[in-house]
Amino acid sequence: MFSTVLIANRGEIALRVARTCREMGIRTIAVCSDSDRDSAVARYADKCVRIGPSAARLSYLNPAAIVTAALQNGAEAVHPGYGFLSEDPDFAEICEANGLTFIGPPAALLRRLGDKAQAREIARAAGLPVLPGSSRSLASLEEAREVAALIGYPVIIKATAGGGGRGMTVVRDPREFGRSWARLRAVAQATFNDPRLYLEKFLENARHVEVQVLGDGAGDVIHLGERDCSVQRRRQKLVEETPAPGLPGELAERIRAAAVYAAREVNYAGAGTYEFLVGDDGDFVFMEVNCRIQVEHPVTEQVTGIDLVREQLRVAAGYGLSVTQEDVRPRGVAIEVRVNAEDPERGFLPTPGVLDEFLPPSGPFVRVDTHGFPGFRVTADYDPLLAKVTVWAPDRRQAIERVDRALAEFRVAGRGVHTTRDFLRRVVAHPVFRAAKHTTGLVDEMAVEDAERLRPAG
Amino acid sequence: MFSTVLIANRGEIALRVARTCREMGIRTIAVCSDSDRDSAVARYADKCVRIGPSAARLSYLNPAAIVTAALQNGAEAVHPGYGFLSEDPDFAEICEANGLTFIGPPAALLRRLGDKAQAREIARAAGLPVLPGSSRSLASLEEAREVAALIGYPVIIKATAGGGGRGMTVVRDPREFGRSWARLRAVAQATFNDPRLYLEKFLENARHVEVQVLGDGAGDVIHLGERDCSVQRRRQKLVEETPAPGLPGELAERIRAAAVYAAREVNYAGAGTYEFLVGDDGDFVFMEVNCRIQVEHPVTEQVTGIDLVREQLRVAAGYGLSVTQEDVRPRGVAIEVRVNAEDPERGFLPTPGVLDEFLPPSGPFVRVDTHGFPGFRVTADYDPLLAKVTVWAPDRRQAIERVDRALAEFRVAGRGVHTTRDFLRRVVAHPVFRAAKHTTGLVDEMAVEDAERLRPAG
Amino acid sequence: MGMTNETTDPTAHGIDELCRQATQLARTAPAPLRSVRVQAGELLVALEWPENPAAAAPPAAGVVTAAAPAEPAEAPPPDGTFAITAPLVGTFYRAPSPGAPPFVEVGQDVAAGQQVAIVEAMKLMNPVEADRPGRVVEVSVTDGTAVEYGEVLFVLAPPEAAAP
Amino acid sequence: MGMTNETTDPTAHGIDELCRQATQLARTAPAPLRSVRVQAGELLVALEWPENPAAAAPPAAGVVTAAAPAEPAEAPPPDGTFAITAPLVGTFYRAPSPGAPPFVEVGQDVAAGQQVAIVEAMKLMNPVEADRPGRVVEVSVTDGTAVEYGEVLFVLAPPEAAAP
């Protein structure tokens, strides 16, 4: 096993990775930007290297700084966490070129699956159902228009280099198509430094169901069950749970099998997630693959008892997986809620500030993953995720009561700081969510309900 | 189910009970003494009633104050937690006499099993192995001397009304017997208001193994596996784990069966613990029954997924158990460590003070039960338990690495405040503990090792 | 101090200002003051609050309660009045029996050891007595209601203060 | 604060005004006050806050470190000296090549834009330049060692201070 690992990330996931490393006796090197010098992981890791200013582009997105820090401190491997450089094939190549093991799939696979249009084709070729759409990135607006007309509106335009809910836009009116295309093209160029776009039929009111897979890179791929992440706001997940509730008949089993089959086809290595959409017709289509640990991985860990970061490290170090498919026996229900430093009353505006009080929930069957602590300064430099609260229970009803109990316990106070805690309590209390009849449209529906409640009667 | 429950306790267990009540939609009434007016549970419960001064005798041990508070606030039941009045048959009777459901076994059973000499006889009658000893409380020193001589030294004198490690003394030298007898008799009178004593053969270097049982009061009793609590200091448990490690062959199964059989014999109701000693000969003997929720119940909850407080509430409300023996499928290993506000460097002297910093561990598979928070004042009025850290892992090796990781994360700071954190890390790092060859003698052996380390060489 | 008599002397008027403003400033802070300095020569107002992080935290932060002293720190009111509190949890009764005249009325003088009320708990009538002499200035609890341990039942003024 | 001139009693009214300002400030405060000073001679309003609640905690509390400002708060040293820091993570070299004379020595004057060192990262030799003129008073890092981003490489004194 590695003796030293550099963690090329920040926030709760950097701490999460460091914890498993500590348990495995692996020395940890953290990296930090100027604004993270007093972060939880900076204090937790065996060493923390300051790699750049607050701007992510010059620190957490700076391969040279990260690789240099790794080499200078005797790291043998780099764990990229999620976001930042975690799915960047160039970064993976630079690591390997410098004798560092990139903890994730090989660069070539990252490249193939990172091209979302190509990933879609690979899945289709493997026999997975996909939505009607373009079989590749589209060269011109004219071509795109034709394809859109062919598959019929509404359509969703996606950035080839996008993913994780970023770089996509829905077009319902053909007359809007040109403008939307141009706008997203500009966004894609700016965000991913890659203007390519592709098209798909847009599925209204679908459920987001994803399958956690683990591959040993030697052809063996297993799944750890599926997660429902349908509670989203602007395609950012807010609540995740496993198993996916209220799926008709054998559907979940078919989705899991499809993911494993597709992952075997590409000889997947490490932890990955196959994302699908499930329509109200009860059928499913492939969406994309995430070649990294997911934010929502704890729900899978709590029902399976398997430490996913540990499996990532094992596979990267050539030890293979510690479990077979037979060993994976999910038990009960786990729900995760993301508590963000945002103000739902002001359109989920991020609210930076110092946490005068920070008392996360605890007690029976409650897990908290957070980088927060009393005195912690929430900055506007990075994403507003403050804490992930995950609960386990024998059944979904108890899990919902438990997550509400846990959220109610969570005390966060700081001048100017707001959180999504109360909004999340409203979500898990919502009858549609409790009945497991919710789709990705739930949060918008709640906004409409609020508007109606506010409108004067009569 | 009850609509309102009064929690007749304090500290982490009061909060623990309130959490499950909250999840079940039960209104909670907390009680507090003067020094607990700002406690976690006082802030957490739906209402908190001040019942007396700091002295437990006038507050948490005051049945009239507790019952009055319950009646005045519409409570239908009283949860006694552990310690204090939790096993007091008189209190249980007063509750019932006032139309309050006592959440625990019926008073009559508390009386029979609370008399440790009688409990021993009941177990023996039920065919459980017991140590050679007196079949009842002994009337006189002379009679006691004869029994001691008969069973042979070393012997242990126990208070009939004692239990939970309190009110017992070991006699190795017959010449010491008289003094020890007199001293313990005085202690018993003072502590339990009952001077009666009985005798048993003392078993050196035994393991403490206990079985968690649940009875529905209608004749059905199930077990939730056993716990090893051999790491003790002056008979107070410091580390508990389940399953019991390194027991020869089918021994654990035989111990579990014995506990269930004995509990059925008395038609046990609610949650209870049958405590046994396992000698190095690999044989086991019955010690006592604890008719309450145990401090160490979380390890059982984490491997079985069963909320023990919820089962207590169900049985007390007449709903019976939510699980059958077949549903109980323990998975993996759980270890609990008790972090006390004591200074191991000064003979585990309690160290009261205000917690300027209090950052409990968290992350994967870590559970914390604590009433502490930043700004919390640890008083000298009650037991020094500050937090219980419980971890789960698929196997014991990983569980040990995890509990050490969790302990290392735990940050407690306050003027004058010390904790047992580092001592517990030494315990779980000890080769004898890691090899699961430890007995109740481990902590004393560690003290000897320290002394030897300090002694100048040569 | 000089405040009482009205004057046009700028400095004294300044003092008046200072005190008025000091009071106003004091109100702007959530935490209790640690010190107040009022100077006339060169005119100075200086207020200081404790540095205790909990006490300094905004009310929003529950740590304020969290870090409050565990033991009740009810400072005796400046006017020398004192309270008779409930010796136990129970029901407060002002009279020995329903319909009977109350043990004490507002304005009445009580002697040390004199019974002033009953707190009933589990059918036991527990007499409440004054621990020192005084004049009843307030009955703080309604007859027949539930009281917690330590709850204020009566406020009394010291006998001397009660003299005209 | 020209307002003070609009009164017959400048001092007292000045105080009034000062306090009004102070009260204003106190209300719009980022955190609870620690101290307020108001003076009229030479007119002064001084409000003081703890940097933050945690920082006000006793040293025992590790939260002190926890709550230290996230952005580096290296105040410029009083003597006017200033630092040249590493622009990136890498290896610090004082000379253009092994054996060659170093770019700068202690006591040497450097001009703005003059190269003073190299920080090598991934085989790239990145020149480090002085952003303003000064005299080298300290070389803070040993030649050939690893440096983090922002690490102090040289301490310089301003040219005028360097003059005899």
Side-chain angles (χ1 to χ4, degrees), chain D residues 11-153:
Chain D
T11 29
H13 199 93
I15 266 294
D16 186 351
E17 175 57 19
L18 288 182
C19 289
R20 214 134 47 65
Q21 302 284 353
T23 314
Q24 279 291 314
L25 284 165
R27 293 227 174 81
T28 64
L33 285 159
R34 190 172 60 193
S35 75
V36 174
R37 286 171 52 82
V38 179
Q39 223 157 10
E42 292 316 306
L43 297 179
L44 159 84
V45 182
L47 290 84
E48 198 184 346
W49 292 270
E51 289 115 84
N52 55 51
V63 262
V64 173
T65 47
E71 288 295 339
E74 286 119 5
D79 59 3
T81 59
F82 59 96
I84 299 177
T85 61
L88 74 166
V89 184
T91 309
F92 169 76
Y93 292 114
R94 287 190 59 191
S97 61
F103 292 101
V104 291
E105 292 285 10
V106 171
Q108 181 179 337
D109 287 323
V110 297
Q114 177 180 339
Q115 179 168 4
V116 293
I118 288 170
V119 171
E120 178 264 322
M122 302 187 68
K123 321 230 171 0
L124 273 177
M125 299 298 171
N126 306 277
V128 182
E129 297 170 353
D131 61 344
R132 48 190 156 137
R135 175 171 291 180
V136 180
V137 297
E138 176 190 296
V139 182
S140 314
V141 182
T142 315
D143 186 60
T145 56
V147 292
E148 299 185 15
Y149 165 82
E151 195 166 334
V152 173
L153 306 178

Side-chain angles (χ1 to χ4, degrees), chain A residues 371-415:
Chain A
H371 54 298
F373 51 82
F376 172 66
R377 182 187 300 270
V378 180
T379 69
D381 300 312
Y382 314 105
D383 84 58
L385 178 62
L386 189 57
K388 304 186 304 192
V389 175
T390 308
V391 304
W392 180 94
D395 59 54
R396 188 169 189 262
R397 222 198 76 266
Q398 286 183 62
I400 289 174
E401 300 305 340
R402 190 160 280 158
V403 78
D404 184 66
R405 183 269 288 178
L407 282 169
E409 282 179 21
F410 204 157
R411 295 161 64 98
V412 181
R415 195 161 295 261

